[in-house]
Amino acid sequence: MKKSLIFSFLLLQSLSFSQENLNNMSEIHSKILSNRGKEQFRKSIIFKKLDRAGYSGSNQYLEYIGEIENKYESDNTSFNSKTKGFSMGTNSNLISNPDVYLGVNLDYLKSKLEYDRENSKVRTYGIDYYVGKNIDNWLIIGRAGYNESKNIYNNYKYRDKNYSLGVESGYFYSINEKSILYPYVAFDWNQYTMKAHNNIKNSNEYIGSSTLGVSYTQEIKEKFLLTMSGEWIYDFANRSDIKLNDTNYRVKSLDLGRDTGAFNIKLGYFLKPDFLVGIGYSSFLNKNYYYDMFSITLSHNF
């Protein structure tokens, strides 16, 4: 009886510790990085429609991402975080087929998390591949991506992985020679994987989602470029509770809500006809969190 009580006490302590120190940063990072990569791929295609694509139709960019403010609230965990990172990539259209575009981007985000009893770091590395085709102003984009997060605590660490596939379609409306409106719809599939750690089992979840969005681009007096976009992402399923090893206990899933909004605005200045420097603001909204971010982007067309 005494041994049973001791075991139950230790189990509950492990359950409590596991619950308090889990986080959603891998999934939040994934949404932020996916949004940044897709936005830049679309912009590379719009450069061509504005006669800014350059001779080869290629674009290279480097973007620093920093946090302005954030807030996270959940019933079963709480933490404060500071996030920063970068995104870089190259996008090109094929000379042999000018209506086909290929792209790749690499990303890195790091968050420092402060809990009541322990601090941690979450580092996310990601890569995304894109292919797009423009058919009479109809744009179709395919995407395949992977990112991996390292969750580092004082006494242990674990990894989260996310595999994703997506397709997007939209239409370019040329308001005038210098302004383009692009409404779009997208569907994505994600596999979220959490590696076993601290008495928590391996887990795999498959979540589909849909996105409805619109972007607007305007060239102002040949020196400035204004871009804005907004989208709403809806997940088709809730995340499952997290299982513990050798018990029937479960840790309540960390709820992010099934609706996430993203808003971006960026103003760029052409130092040269093919070299753009931009500063931007992005906001990511969910019922459990918001992240306000700023970005500084260097973009070169040739």
Side-chain angles (χ1 to χ4, degrees):
M1 181 66 178
K2 186 176 180 180
K3 290 182 179 180
S4 177
L5 289 174
I6 292 174
F7 175 77
S8 297
F9 174 78
L10 293 175
L11 180 61
L12 289 173
Q13 286 292 102
S14 175
L15 176 62
S16 174
F17 183 79
S18 299
Q19 178 172 314
E20 290 178 5
N21 289 276
L22 287 171
N23 66 76
N24 303 93
M25 288 310 303
S26 175
E27 187 174 344
I28 295 172
H29 283 179
S30 178
K31 291 182 183 297
I32 292 173
L33 295 177
S34 175
N35 178 270
R36 304 308 306 141
K38 288 190 290 185
E39 185 189 51
Q40 191 65 36
F41 186 70
R42 297 185 202 109
K43 185 184 289 186
S44 298
I45 299 172
I46 291 173
F47 277 140
K48 183 178 179 180
K49 301 185 78 64
L50 296 175
D51 293 325
R52 291 279 188 174
Y55 176 77
S56 68
S58 294
N59 168 260
Q60 283 74 44
Y61 67 93
L62 175 63
E63 180 172 278
Y64 174 81
I65 306 168
E67 179 184 302
I68 301 173
E69 186 180 16
N70 80 82
K71 185 176 182 181
Y72 181 91
E73 293 181 354
S74 179
D75 293 336
N76 59 318
T77 190
S78 64
F79 55 80
N80 296 314
S81 67
K82 294 292 183 181
T83 301
K84 60 183 179 180
F86 70 87
S87 178
M88 60 185 295
T90 180
N91 303 302
S92 302
N93 73 303
L94 301 182
I95 295 177
S96 60
N97 193 337
D99 292 326
V100 175
Y101 300 82
L102 301 176
V104 60
N105 76 290
L106 303 172
D107 308 291
Y108 170 76
L109 277 184
K110 179 177 72 173
S111 293
K112 293 183 178 180
L113 277 57
E114 297 179 356
Y115 295 89
D116 292 336
R117 295 194 294 175
E118 185 177 7
N119 297 334
S120 69
K121 297 178 182 179
V122 181
R123 297 172 179 170
T124 301
Y125 308 84
I127 184 169
D128 287 276
Y129 297 95
Y130 299 93
V131 58
K133 185 172 179 62
N134 185 16
I135 307 172
D136 296 327
N137 288 323
W138 283 100
L139 178 62
I140 301 173
I141 298 174
R143 181 183 66 86
Y146 169 80
N147 61 65
E148 178 175 321
S149 296
K150 296 181 180 179
N151 299 264
I152 304 169
Y153 292 84
N154 292 336
N155 298 315
Y156 71 98
K157 59 184 178 181
Y158 68 95
R159 296 173 184 262
D160 289 318
K161 298 182 179 182
N162 176 28
Y163 305 86
S164 61
L165 295 172
V167 62
E168 173 184 309
S169 182
Y171 187 82
F172 289 117
Y173 292 94
S174 295
I175 299 174
N176 53 49
E177 292 182 356
K178 301 297 182 180
S179 302
I180 294 174
L181 185 69
Y182 173 70
Y184 58 90
V185 63
F187 296 93
D188 292 274
W189 171 89
N190 292 273
Q191 177 185 341
Y192 296 107
T193 299
M194 178 186 292
K195 293 300 182 181
H197 67 282
N198 198 32
N199 202 36
I200 292 176
K201 290 184 176 181
N202 282 324
S203 66
N204 283 287
E205 288 193 76
Y206 306 94
I207 306 291
S209 65
S210 63
T211 301
L212 185 65
V214 62
S215 73
Y216 175 77
T217 304
Q218 181 177 352
E219 189 177 300
I220 305 171
K221 295 183 178 180
E222 297 186 356
K223 280 292 187 179
F224 292 93
L225 185 71
L226 175 67
T227 57
M228 295 185 294
S229 67
E231 62 181 35
W232 195 257
I233 307 164
Y234 178 75
D235 292 340
F236 296 143
N238 290 313
R239 301 292 294 274
S240 301
D241 292 344
I242 300 166
K243 297 179 181 179
L244 298 184
N245 287 318
D246 304 323
T247 73
N248 292 322
Y249 286 102
R250 292 172 179 248
V251 178
K252 185 179 179 182
S253 62
L254 297 177
D255 183 18
L256 287 183
R258 293 167 64 179
D259 299 282
T260 303
F263 171 76
N264 303 284
I265 183 169
K266 184 176 291 183
L267 182 64
Y269 179 78
F270 286 101
L271 292 177
K272 295 182 178 181
D274 59 354
F275 189 76
L276 181 70
V277 178
I279 184 168
Y281 165 81
S282 301
S283 183
F284 301 89
L285 306 169
N286 188 279
K287 75 174 187 178
N288 288 99
Y289 71 85
Y290 71 81
Y291 277 81
D292 290 341
M293 314 287 289
F294 75 92
S295 61
I296 300 173
T297 310
L298 305 178
S299 177
H300 178 234
N301 298 325
F302 71 92

